[in-house]
Amino acid sequence: MNGLHLTAELYGCRCERRLLDDAGALRELCRAVCSLPGLTPLAEVFHQFGDSGSPAGATGAVVLAESHLAVHTWPESAAVTLDLYVCNFSQDNSRAARQACRQLIAAFAPSRCVQRELERGIPTDGTTSDPAGRSD
Amino acid sequence: MNGLHLTAELYGCRCERRLLDDAGALRELCRAVCSLPGLTPLAEVFHQFGDSGSPAGATGAVVLAESHLAVHTWPESAAVTLDLYVCNFSQDNSRAARQACRQLIAAFAPSRCVQRELERGIPTDGTTSDPAGRSD
């Protein structure tokens, strides 16, 4: 289950407003990005905040064979958060993940962006605990 | 969009096998956890790997008003990854998130667990870049 998890906070997004407001537009973007080689979309869920008359942002997740993409928009702040987690179990999907993340960021066109990379599934990172008190 | 993102890698899960194998069981657990006060499930998506005759793990995501929960299982490794991201925009949902994470971990009963907490939406953390070259 070793993998790469990319996170991004996007501020001052200069994209078309519809991409921040509308779940349908967000879905189209996510589908386009997840159709890249190396990502295998399995199912998706998107939710519209507000309504078609007064859209107020969207949230969505695409479950991938490689793990998941999650996107949340805050149109009132022109802000977006992204999460793209890919498992590198059978092959290295890191390159596809980074490319997808770049495409998403480019689509939202933020004036400022905070990105992180987390290695997932590495037993020695973070706080390790044995809830049962059993030794390794 | 400030928030808290909890991640966990669970190893040596001693729960009933069905919870690792079956998307329906995973869904029930996630629904139960997301029904806790402080979390507002909006929509969900779960995917079964393998089939009912030979289930091979599950993956799922619940989009929340507060952001999202994502869970992936690797039954062949008795391993699970969890992500629970809550936005603290209108109120502090951190307590609800930590409680939910504890409940999920307890349900899977890992012999070892690696947990992290990320602050999301904090402009000075991580690598800050201005893709357009514009100054702050």
Side-chain angles (χ1 to χ4, degrees):
Chain A
M1 65 194 255
N2 287 2
L4 175 67
H5 186 152
L6 306 174
T7 73
E9 269 90 275
L10 314 184
Y11 302 92
C13 293
R14 295 160 293 188
C15 58
E16 187 185 350
R17 176 73 181 212
R18 182 171 172 264
L19 187 55
L20 298 174
D21 277 341
D22 180 67
L26 183 63
R27 179 190 294 114
E28 287 171 26
L29 171 63
C30 292
R31 284 180 177 175
V33 169
C34 291
S35 70
L36 290 173
L39 297 181
T40 312
L42 300 173
E44 62 184 36
V45 62
F46 287 83
H47 177 83
Q48 177 73 60
F49 292 101
D51 55 45
S52 57
S54 298
T59 196
V62 180
V63 292
L64 307 165
E66 297 81 12
S67 292
H68 70 267
L69 165 68
V71 187
H72 307 291
T73 75
W74 281 264
E76 67 282 6
S77 307
V80 174
T81 62
L82 303 176
D83 281 82
L84 180 53
Y85 170 26
V86 297
C87 173
N88 293 328
F89 183 69
S90 55
Q91 64 183 43
D92 190 347
N93 298 306
S94 302
R95 187 173 183 178
R98 289 193 175 99
Q99 182 182 5
C101 203
R102 278 195 299 271
Q103 283 205 359
L104 284 162
I105 292 171
F108 288 108
S111 59
R112 194 170 59 196
C113 177
V114 177
Q115 292 179 260
R116 289 193 188 92
E117 294 197 2
L118 309 176
E119 286 192 56
R120 299 292 300 264
I122 308 293
T124 55
D125 280 357
T127 301
T128 304
S129 66
D130 181 343
R134 194 182 302 176
S135 60
D136 286 346
Chain B
M1 63 195 257
N2 286 3
L4 176 66
H5 187 152
L6 306 175
T7 73
E9 267 90 276
L10 314 184
Y11 302 92
C13 294
R14 293 159 295 187
C15 58
E16 187 185 350
R17 177 73 182 212
R18 183 171 170 264
L19 187 55
L20 299 174
D21 277 341
D22 181 66
L26 183 63
R27 178 190 294 115
E28 285 170 28
L29 172 63
C30 290
R31 284 180 177 176
V33 168
C34 290
S35 69
L36 289 173
L39 297 181
T40 313
L42 300 172
E44 63 183 35
V45 62
F46 287 84
H47 177 84
Q48 178 73 61
F49 292 101
D51 54 44
S52 56
S54 298
T59 196
V62 180
V63 292
L64 307 165
E66 299 80 11
S67 290
H68 71 266
L69 165 68
V71 187
H72 308 292
T73 75
W74 282 264
E76 67 282 5
S77 307
V80 175
T81 62
L82 303 175
D83 282 82
L84 179 52
Y85 170 25
V86 296
C87 173
N88 294 328
F89 183 69
S90 54
Q91 65 182 43
D92 190 347
N93 297 306
S94 303
R95 186 172 183 178
R98 289 194 176 96
Q99 182 183 4
C101 203
R102 277 196 299 272
Q103 283 205 359
L104 285 163
I105 292 170
F108 288 110
S111 59
R112 193 170 61 197
C113 178
V114 177
Q115 293 178 258
R116 288 194 188 92
E117 293 196 3
L118 309 176
E119 286 191 57
R120 301 292 299 264
I122 308 295
T124 56
D125 281 357
T127 300
T128 306
S129 66
D130 181 341
R134 195 181 300 175
S135 60
D136 288 343

